[in-house]
Amino acid sequence: MISDNVRNVKKRITSACESAGRDNNVRLVAVTKTRSIEEINQIISSGIYDLGENRVKELTEKYELLPDTNIRWHLIGTLQTNKVKYIIDKVYLIHSVDTLRLIDEINRQAGKKGIKANILLQINIAKEEQKHGFAEEEAEEALMYCTKMENIIVKGIMMMAPAGESEESLCNLFEKTEKIYNKLMKFSAEYDNIDIDTLSMGMTDDFEYAVKCGSNTVRIGRALFI
């Protein structure tokens, strides 16, 4: 049962928080890609309203079929600039902002709608060639670029850890990402459109390590639907 899976994942998050000696302020984003409306409704019935999609087309289709106003949609996959216009007024948070060009387009499309778009800067902490995102040393420069945007609010950063890494390697990457997060957080007091409160890292195979290393937003798919 999906409800049992939700309870189990929540217990694992709580246990990871207790192990790290931190409060459980972790947001659980249910990754609903390829999942049916029936399955998603079970997630919602279990009290999870943060839903994550990788693809723009799938997000917009489900947005129309799930009218619950409590739902907060998260775009967590790669976002092409020519598709920003389709989701700009439908998503609560865009996790995968990985280029200055994409920042420009999100700002432009948000301005057209008269809204402020919440975004996370994606950091490619492991410097994987096949992964998107800003390098560690580019993070502050990207944040400063965002301060010039009138229609964007930077809420934090996101990262994706490499698959198949050891616990030691994963924790090293998560800890390095948390240091970037803490470094950028200080700018919240200096700029109106910088409001750093979200560190999005951790998925089904590594979320407990991520939580122990400071993550406050995890993106879980498989563990909720198996």
Side-chain angles (χ1 to χ4, degrees):
M1 287 284 293
I2 286 176
S3 59
D4 293 331
N5 295 338
V6 170
R7 281 192 292 270
N8 181 53
V9 168
K10 285 183 173 181
K11 284 180 181 178
R12 290 169 65 185
I13 291 172
T14 297
S15 178
C17 288
E18 290 174 350
S19 176
R22 57 170 289 198
D23 293 334
N24 186 352
N25 62 342
V26 179
R27 175 192 292 152
L28 172 56
V29 177
V31 180
T32 54
K33 65 176 182 178
T34 75
R35 302 298 174 179
S36 68
I37 297 301
E38 180 184 358
E39 289 175 304
I40 298 171
N41 276 323
Q42 289 182 56
I43 286 287
I44 295 169
S45 296
S46 298
I48 305 299
Y49 292 94
D50 289 284
L51 306 180
E53 282 291 336
N54 287 62
R55 299 179 184 278
V56 167
K57 185 174 185 293
E58 196 167 352
L59 188 152
T60 55
E61 289 173 351
K62 289 173 179 174
Y63 180 91
E64 298 299 331
L65 294 171
L66 292 161
D68 191 326
T69 55
N70 292 314
I71 293 173
R72 293 180 292 263
W73 287 103
H74 298 246
L75 195 286
I76 61 175
T78 300
L79 178 59
Q80 298 174 336
T81 54
N82 64 344
K83 294 187 177 179
V84 172
K85 60 187 175 184
Y86 299 117
I87 54 94
I88 193 65
D89 58 346
K90 296 178 175 64
V91 295
Y92 168 73
L93 183 62
I94 302 172
H95 290 231
S96 48
V97 177
D98 56 359
T99 65
L100 300 183
R101 183 165 172 255
L102 181 56
I103 290 169
D104 286 336
E105 184 61 12
I106 292 172
N107 183 66
R108 190 171 76 88
Q109 293 296 339
K112 282 185 173 183
K113 295 288 186 177
I115 61 176
K116 304 286 187 182
N118 294 322
I119 71 166
L120 303 181
L121 299 176
Q122 182 172 346
I123 307 299
N124 186 355
I125 196 70
K127 299 183 178 180
E128 295 179 274
E129 290 186 6
Q130 71 273 28
K131 293 272 180 70
H132 299 275
F134 297 100
E136 178 181 357
E137 57 273 16
E138 297 173 330
E140 187 171 329
E141 180 183 349
L143 185 72
M144 290 300 98
Y145 189 83
C146 291
T147 63
K148 305 169 187 176
M149 304 293 139
E150 295 182 354
N151 309 304
I152 280 177
I153 299 175
V154 182
K155 300 295 290 181
I157 61 176
M158 181 270 264
M159 67 85 81
M160 295 177 63
E165 294 290 305
S166 66
E167 177 180 352
E168 181 181 3
S169 177
L170 284 170
C171 288
N172 178 56
L173 293 172
F174 289 141
E175 287 168 357
K176 286 175 69 176
T177 307
E178 188 198 24
K179 287 180 180 177
I180 298 171
Y181 172 76
N182 290 333
K183 181 181 179 182
L184 298 184
M185 191 183 292
K186 67 183 181 183
F187 293 104
S188 293
E190 299 179 25
Y191 298 94
D192 291 339
N193 69 336
I194 307 298
D195 184 22
I196 306 292
D197 64 7
T198 301
L199 177 54
S200 173
M201 58 183 191
M203 299 186 291
T204 289
D205 292 331
D206 57 25
F207 72 89
E208 286 155 304
Y209 302 138
V211 168
K212 289 177 183 179
C213 296
S215 174
N216 60 30
T217 301
V218 294
R219 313 176 303 273
I220 310 295
R222 184 165 21 94
L224 296 175
F225 294 99
I226 55 175

